[in-house]
Amino acid sequence: MILFNQQQTDKRSQPAPHQLSHPHNHFLRLIPLGGIGNVTKNMYVYEYRRSSGGEISDILIVDCGIGFPDEAMYGIDLVIPDITYLRDKKDKIRAIILTHGHEDHIAALPYILPDLKVPVYGTRLTAALAEVKLRDFGLQNHINTADTSQILHFGPFSVEFVHVTHSIPDATNLIIRTPVGIFYHGSDYKFDWTPIDGQQTEVGKIARVSSEGILCLLSDCVRVESPGYTLPERIIEDTLEEELRKCRGKFIFTTQSSNISRIQQAINVAVRNNRKIAFLGRSIVENVDVTKKLHYLEFPDIFVVQERELKRYKPSDLFLIVTGSQAQPNAALSRIADGSHKFVSINPGDTVIFSADPIPGYENAVHGLIDELTARGAKVAYSDIMDALHVSGHGAANDLALMIGLTRPKFILPIGGTIRQMRRYADMAKEMGYKDNQILLPGEGDVLEFDSMGNVRKGENIDLKNVMVDGLGVGDVGNVVIRDRQTMANEGIVVVVVPVEQSTGQVTAEPDIISRGFVYMKESTRLIDGAKKVVTNSLRLKKGRIFDWQFVRKQIEGRLEEFLYKETHRRPLIISVVVEV
Amino acid sequence: MILFNQQQTDKRSQPAPHQLSHPHNHFLRLIPLGGIGNVTKNMYVYEYRRSSGGEISDILIVDCGIGFPDEAMYGIDLVIPDITYLRDKKDKIRAIILTHGHEDHIAALPYILPDLKVPVYGTRLTAALAEVKLRDFGLQNHINTADTSQILHFGPFSVEFVHVTHSIPDATNLIIRTPVGIFYHGSDYKFDWTPIDGQQTEVGKIARVSSEGILCLLSDCVRVESPGYTLPERIIEDTLEEELRKCRGKFIFTTQSSNISRIQQAINVAVRNNRKIAFLGRSIVENVDVTKKLHYLEFPDIFVVQERELKRYKPSDLFLIVTGSQAQPNAALSRIADGSHKFVSINPGDTVIFSADPIPGYENAVHGLIDELTARGAKVAYSDIMDALHVSGHGAANDLALMIGLTRPKFILPIGGTIRQMRRYADMAKEMGYKDNQILLPGEGDVLEFDSMGNVRKGENIDLKNVMVDGLGVGDVGNVVIRDRQTMANEGIVVVVVPVEQSTGQVTAEPDIISRGFVYMKESTRLIDGAKKVVTNSLRLKKGRIFDWQFVRKQIEGRLEEFLYKETHRRPLIISVVVEV
């Protein structure tokens, strides 16, 4: 992990030791609990102390998002930030501020808010979406609504929202004023000058605060590898219109269900071409519902049909907006493709539009889904073969450079990207004249300590765990369980049951062997018989009463592992069970 | 799956029924055992019958490659073609012809050749690489060498090799003459006019046979979604040279180890810049060894150093060519990145070049590896951020169209691509004037029956299984085992052991519960105790001697599943074991 650049502090301006303990030297500690070296699971702690090592005075938290499990985290639904560090400091936390309504910024609230019990703030749509998330878990917390003209005060902090363009309306960056200086919290953004909702990024506000002097810019960096500027969202609409005109059957449109601007464009095209719209899939229905109520989505209700009414319409009169752009197994599009959707099936003449790129790791699943739809006769359009079906909500290299140019911060800290993207962002900043010691590349849990003399230094590293959510369990699946799942996934399991007479401590019958995911047992009697013999032989060597079953079990497992590897070149998980009777 | 286009035969030229049984109407059945709807696992059967439904006279097989398991095939190393269909026809098989030396065309030979025992033919390098594969399995079979000037005769078939450009030297397509007409077997190719070995595609030969009239073109289609022509391999060398000149430390180069042309270019750059070369990783060492011996790779031996000698050289004098471009867990580059390589570690100043794109499904692993290398201080270059680090060995749309233009076949059959790529290739052919009934889109195992009247019709479908290789086992892991692995991967396993007195048939003690990959047992005593209670209660209801243990076990498993789902929302695999004592 990159902890820091080689030079961690600005040597030239480093204060003499006596200055460090100067009574007027305040400290702001910035602690990423997520979103560093990692695109998702955003959560940042701003912690103010009146002196280094002194007592914490106030804490402000930005975002509270979920992360996606990596492929090796078998069976895990999602990952949330580890808030162990905050547990004994709850009374210092003044607020959680949400930058926008995407899952990787708000969706850990239902897991964390009941524990932290602090007020939460966001712009209108963001607050509404966060409340929907909480309601899904039966939580009734109120999220406070703020708008971009307000300045919120939390103890020594003040927070001003800056409207930015992204792939969801009401997205913001934050101007956070602290006793040591101004932080520009530049979470997800791009500079789209023709946004679908007409609301441009408030560059004037950014420029104004920049003239006061920004101590540190935290900036989105996930698309730094793409040159130029990210294309405007608006180009999608023409492509859609063109495809729709060529379509004689149903028109099926999928995108990420939080991409409200994209859904608005799809609706615009449907309405202009007089097609009835159906929304299929829980998250689309939920998001459309809440955004429509708040007027972030606009369309005449008369165009909407319910899924059970679809059969009344000709295919060429329909425009379906469906979940499943990442080929999620139970999403509407996956069920349509495999023929299990109750109301919709694919026929030749239908067109399916993927208006989203596969998330890394989902490429194969998405390509498999495209194949399935193609095989059923649909024309499938996706961005590998057609331009302008998807643009990112994140800024490309030039957008990111423009933000640096606008904010002109003393220090720069890339967030929301992988290590290689952070590093590349650093290279770009250097090309813009920044020095190594102005570019901060912490790892997750690394504390950055800013002082009021304008210095920054690396504090301690807070040990962060992956808090994994699996079904109803939060954090109960740890590394041991995951390791067992990995072994069983690749090699299966073998269970050996040894019956033992309690009074004599002697083995009373032949051991039993059961396996799952290892070999097809019915066709492997020779192997299983061989394995039984290995176990029996290990036990035969024991004379008299066995006291140390722990030791004997280890021995059985060891011998069996050796035998099975020799025979199959597989290493299943082996458990031996001694049953005393 | 797409079995065929709507119109399967050319209605206008369809013979009258009496013609179908005409004694001079011969039949050639083309059966893809792999490589259809699937980029890998190439194996095609050409089967000649003197009349439809009559006895098979002769069989010719083209290629014998492995496939890569999809993500859902947990723990599977590779997949091979299912040759069940051929088992009772072995005496009819005249030969296996190999088109080139890539794994997905030759690497199933060690599994299949001992069974089929037929002569195998390939060009010089292809034959040598196939022999290396066989030797790895202790097999001493000889592969016959042919060159592109020869015509080989196998009963009613004759085969002529056509040299084509691809990412490995000595790659060929095949002209297969049969009693019903000429087939052009266009497996992997692109038109590279400046190939590294100077050997261009033999377009003259293709044009000549085209003037005789080609009945059917089988064509690579995997890059049909990319417009234009695939760039020439040669452009890589300049990029490499430029990167090398900027590198103050070690220069580490990785590509697919079968990409001999790429390795030659890396060597050229190393030699020109006077850097010592080390080859790290078994498959690179093996491939370099055999290709150098046959003079398909050329370099002065004096430039090569062994890995144990690396420490004697300054980093800036070294050029390492290593395995692991797909982040394979035990490959050299992965071990270098995680610090476990015996002789090589990463230091700031080193450069790592990925001269290969991630195979679909491996993107996350490759990006993780890039992050690891970056974190250790390497500059990492890969094609997301730098052009001209990788070009494909497969033709893009225009290459593929050029092949259609050169061969001007009556029928066209895209191979070696997914369903969506086959469909897109079909669209391209239609734009070139082909009719639906001239474009063949079979699924795996679909039989295409060509007759000597110039017709083709769909025959039966041969049911093909996924023959999975796991360790030493070939085909012993079937769907049941894979399904169990999937369940255990995502939900874990719970084993219930019930001890029963043999003579009375009564439960003698409390059931024991063990789980793996489900919950961390030490911290879940409440849950496990609850589960035990559920099992005990199911058993308590049984009065007297239990005879039908099968039934009782099913009942225990059912109740336990319900209980665990309610408590955790997980559905682990449950096994109950009754131990009679």
Side-chain angles (χ1 to χ4, degrees):
Chain A
M1 203 175 344
I2 302 172
L3 297 182
F4 243 84
N5 265 337
Q6 283 109 306
Q7 288 168 288
Q8 289 154 23
T9 51
D10 188 333
K11 291 278 157 48
R12 288 156 305 175
S13 67
Q14 191 146 31
H18 73 273
Q19 279 181 300
L20 272 172
S21 56
H22 194 280
H24 299 300
N25 198 1
H26 301 181
F27 293 88
L28 190 290
R29 286 158 44 101
L30 180 60
I31 310 169
L33 295 183
I36 286 284
N38 186 312
V39 183
T40 55
K41 206 178 73 178
N42 289 282
M43 189 164 186
Y44 301 86
V45 174
Y46 287 80
E47 178 187 288
Y48 174 59
R49 300 186 185 212
R50 293 191 201 285
S51 63
S52 177
E55 213 189 321
I56 296 168
S57 144
D58 300 88
I59 289 176
L60 188 74
I61 295 173
V62 177
D63 286 336
C64 188
I66 56 166
F68 301 112
D70 66 41
E71 289 105 329
M73 294 183 193
Y74 287 118
I76 297 303
D77 303 329
L78 51 97
V79 180
I80 59 173
D82 178 1
I83 57 162
T84 311
Y85 174 78
L86 296 172
R87 287 245 160 73
D88 60 353
K89 303 170 188 72
K90 289 184 204 173
D91 59 319
K92 311 293 188 194
I93 306 173
R94 303 297 161 234
I96 298 176
I97 316 289
L98 306 175
T99 57
H100 62 286
H102 278 161
E103 305 253 309
D104 55 332
H105 294 260
I106 66 167
L109 279 176
Y111 302 96
I112 286 172
L113 199 53
D115 190 358
L116 295 187
K117 297 189 191 70
V118 293
V120 184
Y121 294 80
T123 48
R124 244 172 101 234
L125 179 62
T126 308
L129 289 170
E131 284 183 353
V132 168
K133 280 281 152 223
L134 291 161
R135 301 292 171 275
D136 283 349
F137 283 70
L139 300 169
Q140 300 302 322
N141 306 53
H142 171 70
I143 307 292
N144 302 290
T145 301
D147 70 46
T148 53
S149 66
Q150 285 175 289
I151 296 180
L152 306 176
H153 296 275
F154 304 99
F157 302 109
S158 80
V159 176
E160 196 171 350
F161 289 88
V162 179
H163 177 77
V164 295
T165 46
H166 185 39
S167 49
I168 189 168
D170 244 14
T172 64
N173 285 178
L174 305 174
I175 295 163
I176 302 176
R177 287 167 207 272
T178 78
V180 310
I182 301 173
F183 290 76
Y184 186 90
H185 194 101
S187 50
D188 313 4
Y189 66 87
K190 63 174 171 180
F191 291 95
D192 186 344
W193 304 111
T194 55
I196 303 306
D197 63 2
Q199 303 296 314
Q200 294 177 359
T201 296
E202 296 182 284
V203 281
K205 194 188 270 183
I206 302 173
R208 221 160 39 240
V209 70
S210 152
S211 68
E212 295 177 45
I214 290 174
L215 179 62
C216 182
L217 162 67
L218 290 77
S219 172
D220 184 357
C221 69
V222 71
R223 289 199 77 231
V224 66
E225 291 163 346
S226 302
Y229 290 93
T230 296
L231 290 171
E233 179 68 24
R234 202 170 281 279
I235 60 161
I236 309 282
E237 210 164 312
D238 288 342
T239 320
L240 274 186
E241 185 105 35
E242 207 174 298
E243 283 304 305
L244 183 72
R245 292 214 178 115
K246 284 187 276 184
C247 172
R248 306 169 282 114
K250 289 191 292 297
F251 197 77
I252 302 177
F253 176 88
T254 187
T255 187
Q256 268 145 335
S257 47
S258 61
N259 197 333
I260 302 300
S261 321
R262 196 67 51 82
I263 293 172
Q264 179 71 65
Q265 292 189 87
I267 291 170
N268 296 347
V269 173
V271 169
R272 258 202 310 275
N273 290 276
N274 211 20
R275 289 209 180 207
K276 294 291 182 193
I277 301 163
F279 301 103
L280 306 181
R282 196 183 56 85
S283 60
I284 288 259
V285 171
E286 228 173 57
N287 281 349
V288 166
D289 190 50
V290 61
T291 46
K292 174 118 196 319
K293 266 189 204 132
L294 296 173
H295 300 287
Y296 287 95
L297 261 187
E298 302 280 3
F299 56 90
D301 287 327
I302 196 170
F303 273 91
V304 177
V305 296
Q306 299 306 311
E307 53 180 14
R308 59 190 69 251
E309 299 166 6
L310 286 172
K311 57 177 178 300
R312 294 201 219 145
Y313 296 88
K314 280 191 301 187
S316 58
D317 287 339
L318 291 174
F319 192 116
L320 312 183
I321 299 180
V322 307
T323 55
S325 63
Q326 300 301 325
Q328 303 92 320
N330 287 314
L333 191 55
S334 299
R335 286 185 289 122
I336 291 171
D338 70 18
S340 70
H341 197 280
K342 213 170 153 188
F343 302 105
V344 182
S345 58
I346 293 288
N347 297 111
D350 293 346
T351 293
V352 181
I353 304 277
F354 280 80
S355 184
D357 281 340
I359 294 173
Y362 289 75
E363 293 89 347
N364 265 9
V366 171
H367 287 152
L369 180 57
I370 293 172
D371 272 351
E372 242 179 312
L373 293 162
T374 306
R376 287 184 182 264
K379 174 181 177 188
V380 187
Y382 46 100
S383 57
D384 284 354
I385 59 162
M386 201 177 285
D387 288 339
L389 280 182
H390 176 65
V391 298
S392 174
H394 296 269
N398 283 17
D399 297 85
L400 303 178
L402 171 54
M403 184 60 93
I404 294 177
L406 272 171
T407 51
R408 291 179 297 141
K410 178 164 184 190
F411 297 107
I412 292 187
L413 166 51
I415 59 174
T418 61
I419 295 175
R420 68 175 206 278
Q421 289 153 350
M422 292 172 73
R423 186 63 76 97
R424 196 162 165 80
Y425 182 95
D427 290 343
M428 182 185 75
K430 280 190 245 174
E431 285 165 22
M432 293 177 72
Y434 278 81
K435 302 275 183 295
D436 269 337
N437 54 24
Q438 295 181 283
I439 303 167
L440 311 174
L441 301 173
E444 262 186 16
D446 273 346
V447 176
L448 296 177
E449 199 165 290
F450 296 85
D451 67 25
S452 47
M453 316 299 283
N455 301 306
V456 62
R457 66 172 201 94
K458 182 183 172 332
E460 77 273 22
N461 175 269
I462 293 163
D463 186 36
L464 296 176
K465 275 202 292 285
N466 269 319
V467 182
M468 295 181 269
V469 177
D470 180 4
L472 298 181
V474 179
D476 67 333
V477 170
N479 292 336
V480 176
V481 171
I482 290 293
R483 235 177 359 250
D484 284 346
R485 286 186 183 176
Q486 290 165 346
T487 305
M488 295 191 296
N490 291 308
E491 318 270 336
I493 191 170
V494 171
V495 181
V496 186
V497 182
V498 183
V500 171
E501 169 67 51
Q502 199 173 10
S503 54
T504 64
Q506 297 264 322
V507 179
T508 57
E510 209 192 21
D512 207 357
I513 290 189
I514 304 116
S515 86
R516 284 293 186 281
F518 171 52
V519 291
Y520 191 51
M521 284 190 66
K522 282 191 189 156
E523 289 173 5
S524 309
T525 44
R526 201 190 56 75
L527 181 70
I528 300 298
D529 287 348
K532 278 187 189 168
K533 200 170 285 171
V534 169
V535 177
T536 310
N537 286 344
S538 321
L539 288 165
R540 193 163 296 153
L541 299 172
K542 314 289 154 212
K543 295 224 169 78
R545 189 186 179 101
I546 298 172
F547 292 95
D548 191 354
W549 274 108
Q550 182 82 353
F551 173 76
V552 175
R553 283 178 44 212
K554 280 260 164 302
Q555 216 171 32
I556 291 174
E557 292 168 8
R559 296 242 168 100
L560 199 52
E561 185 185 338
E562 209 174 293
F563 170 76
L564 294 176
Y565 183 74
K566 186 168 65 67
E567 293 290 315
T568 65
H569 273 209
R570 299 177 202 163
R571 293 191 190 282
L573 195 67
I574 298 176
I575 316 178
S576 59
V577 189
V578 173
V579 191
E580 293 199 327
V581 286
Chain B
M1 206 179 332
I2 302 173
L3 297 184
F4 243 83
N5 264 336
Q6 285 110 305
Q7 289 167 287
Q8 287 153 24
T9 51
D10 189 333
K11 291 276 156 49
R12 289 157 305 176
S13 68
Q14 192 146 31
H18 72 275
Q19 280 180 302
L20 273 172
S21 56
H22 193 283
H24 298 301
N25 198 1
H26 302 180
F27 292 88
L28 190 287
R29 286 157 46 97
L30 181 60
I31 310 168
L33 295 183
I36 286 284
N38 187 310
V39 183
T40 55
K41 207 178 71 177
N42 289 282
M43 189 164 185
Y44 301 87
V45 173
Y46 287 79
E47 178 187 289
Y48 175 58
R49 300 186 187 211
R50 293 192 201 283
S51 62
S52 176
E55 213 188 319
I56 296 168
S57 144
D58 301 89
I59 289 175
L60 188 74
I61 295 172
V62 177
D63 287 336
C64 187
I66 56 166
F68 302 112
D70 66 41
E71 289 105 328
M73 293 184 195
Y74 286 119
I76 296 303
D77 302 328
L78 51 98
V79 181
I80 60 172
D82 179 0
I83 56 161
T84 312
Y85 174 76
L86 296 172
R87 286 245 160 73
D88 60 354
K89 303 170 189 72
K90 289 183 203 173
D91 59 320
K92 312 293 189 196
I93 306 173
R94 303 297 160 232
I96 298 175
I97 315 288
L98 305 174
T99 59
H100 63 285
H102 279 159
E103 305 253 310
D104 54 334
H105 294 259
I106 65 167
L109 279 176
Y111 301 98
I112 285 173
L113 199 53
D115 191 356
L116 296 188
K117 296 189 190 69
V118 294
V120 184
Y121 294 81
T123 48
R124 241 171 104 235
L125 179 62
T126 308
L129 290 169
E131 284 184 352
V132 168
K133 280 283 153 222
L134 290 162
R135 301 290 171 278
D136 282 350
F137 282 71
L139 300 170
Q140 299 303 321
N141 306 54
H142 171 69
I143 308 292
N144 301 292
T145 301
D147 71 45
T148 53
S149 65
Q150 284 175 288
I151 297 182
L152 305 176
H153 296 275
F154 304 100
F157 302 109
S158 79
V159 175
E160 196 172 349
F161 289 88
V162 179
H163 178 78
V164 295
T165 46
H166 185 40
S167 50
I168 188 167
D170 244 13
T172 64
N173 286 177
L174 305 175
I175 296 163
I176 302 177
R177 288 167 206 271
T178 78
V180 311
I182 301 172
F183 290 76
Y184 186 90
H185 195 101
S187 50
D188 314 4
Y189 66 86
K190 63 173 171 180
F191 290 96
D192 186 343
W193 304 112
T194 55
I196 302 308
D197 63 3
Q199 305 295 314
Q200 294 178 358
T201 297
E202 296 181 283
V203 283
K205 194 187 270 183
I206 303 173
R208 222 161 37 238
V209 70
S210 153
S211 66
E212 294 176 46
I214 290 174
L215 179 63
C216 181
L217 163 67
L218 290 77
S219 172
D220 184 359
C221 69
V222 71
R223 290 199 76 231
V224 65
E225 291 163 346
S226 303
Y229 290 93
T230 296
L231 289 172
E233 178 69 24
R234 202 170 281 280
I235 60 163
I236 309 283
E237 209 165 312
D238 288 342
T239 320
L240 273 186
E241 185 105 34
E242 207 175 297
E243 283 306 306
L244 183 72
R245 292 215 178 113
K246 285 187 276 185
C247 171
R248 306 169 282 112
K250 288 190 293 298
F251 197 76
I252 301 177
F253 176 88
T254 187
T255 188
Q256 268 145 336
S257 46
S258 62
N259 197 333
I260 303 299
S261 322
R262 196 68 51 82
I263 293 172
Q264 178 71 65
Q265 292 189 85
I267 291 171
N268 296 347
V269 173
V271 168
R272 255 200 313 273
N273 290 276
N274 212 18
R275 288 207 180 209
K276 294 290 183 192
I277 302 163
F279 301 103
L280 306 180
R282 197 183 55 85
S283 60
I284 288 261
V285 170
E286 229 174 52
N287 280 348
V288 166
D289 191 48
V290 62
T291 47
K292 174 119 198 313
K293 265 187 207 135
L294 295 174
H295 300 288
Y296 287 96
L297 261 186
E298 302 280 1
F299 56 88
D301 288 326
I302 197 169
F303 273 91
V304 177
V305 296
Q306 299 306 311
E307 53 181 15
R308 61 190 66 250
E309 299 167 4
L310 286 171
K311 57 177 179 299
R312 292 202 220 144
Y313 295 86
K314 279 191 302 186
S316 59
D317 287 339
L318 291 174
F319 193 117
L320 312 182
I321 299 180
V322 308
T323 55
S325 63
Q326 300 301 326
Q328 303 91 321
N330 287 314
L333 191 54
S334 299
R335 285 184 290 123
I336 292 171
D338 70 18
S340 69
H341 196 279
K342 213 169 153 190
F343 302 105
V344 183
S345 59
I346 293 288
N347 299 110
D350 293 345
T351 294
V352 181
I353 304 276
F354 281 78
S355 183
D357 281 341
I359 294 173
Y362 289 75
E363 293 89 346
N364 264 9
V366 171
H367 288 152
L369 179 58
I370 293 172
D371 272 352
E372 242 181 312
L373 292 162
T374 306
R376 286 183 182 265
K379 174 180 177 189
V380 187
Y382 46 100
S383 55
D384 284 356
I385 59 161
M386 200 177 285
D387 288 337
L389 279 181
H390 177 63
V391 297
S392 175
H394 296 268
N398 284 16
D399 297 84
L400 302 177
L402 173 54
M403 184 60 92
I404 294 177
L406 272 172
T407 51
R408 293 179 295 139
K410 178 164 186 190
F411 297 107
I412 292 187
L413 165 51
I415 59 175
T418 62
I419 296 175
R420 68 176 206 277
Q421 289 153 349
M422 291 172 72
R423 188 61 78 97
R424 197 161 166 80
Y425 182 94
D427 290 344
M428 181 185 77
K430 280 189 244 175
E431 286 165 22
M432 292 177 72
Y434 279 81
K435 302 275 182 291
D436 269 337
N437 54 24
Q438 296 180 283
I439 302 166
L440 311 175
L441 300 173
E444 262 187 14
D446 274 345
V447 176
L448 297 177
E449 198 165 289
F450 295 85
D451 67 24
S452 46
M453 318 297 285
N455 301 306
V456 60
R457 66 174 201 92
K458 184 183 170 334
E460 78 273 21
N461 176 268
I462 293 164
D463 186 36
L464 296 176
K465 276 204 290 287
N466 270 318
V467 182
M468 295 181 270
V469 178
D470 180 4
L472 297 182
V474 178
D476 67 333
V477 170
N479 292 336
V480 175
V481 171
I482 291 293
R483 237 177 359 249
D484 284 347
R485 286 186 183 176
Q486 289 165 346
T487 306
M488 294 191 297
N490 291 308
E491 317 271 335
I493 191 169
V494 171
V495 181
V496 186
V497 182
V498 183
V500 171
E501 169 68 49
Q502 201 175 10
S503 54
T504 64
Q506 298 263 322
V507 180
T508 57
E510 208 192 21
D512 207 358
I513 290 188
I514 304 118
S515 86
R516 285 293 186 281
F518 170 54
V519 292
Y520 191 52
M521 285 189 67
K522 282 190 188 157
E523 289 172 4
S524 309
T525 44
R526 201 191 55 76
L527 180 69
I528 300 297
D529 287 347
K532 277 186 189 170
K533 201 170 284 171
V534 169
V535 177
T536 309
N537 287 344
S538 326
L539 287 165
R540 192 163 296 152
L541 300 171
K542 314 290 155 210
K543 294 223 169 78
R545 189 185 178 102
I546 298 172
F547 291 96
D548 191 355
W549 275 108
Q550 183 81 356
F551 173 76
V552 174
R553 283 177 43 213
K554 280 261 163 301
Q555 215 171 35
I556 292 175
E557 292 168 9
R559 296 240 167 103
L560 199 52
E561 185 185 338
E562 209 175 292
F563 170 77
L564 295 175
Y565 184 74
K566 186 168 65 65
E567 293 289 316
T568 64
H569 273 208
R570 298 176 204 165
R571 294 191 189 281
L573 193 68
I574 298 176
I575 316 179
S576 60
V577 189
V578 172
V579 190
E580 294 198 327
V581 286

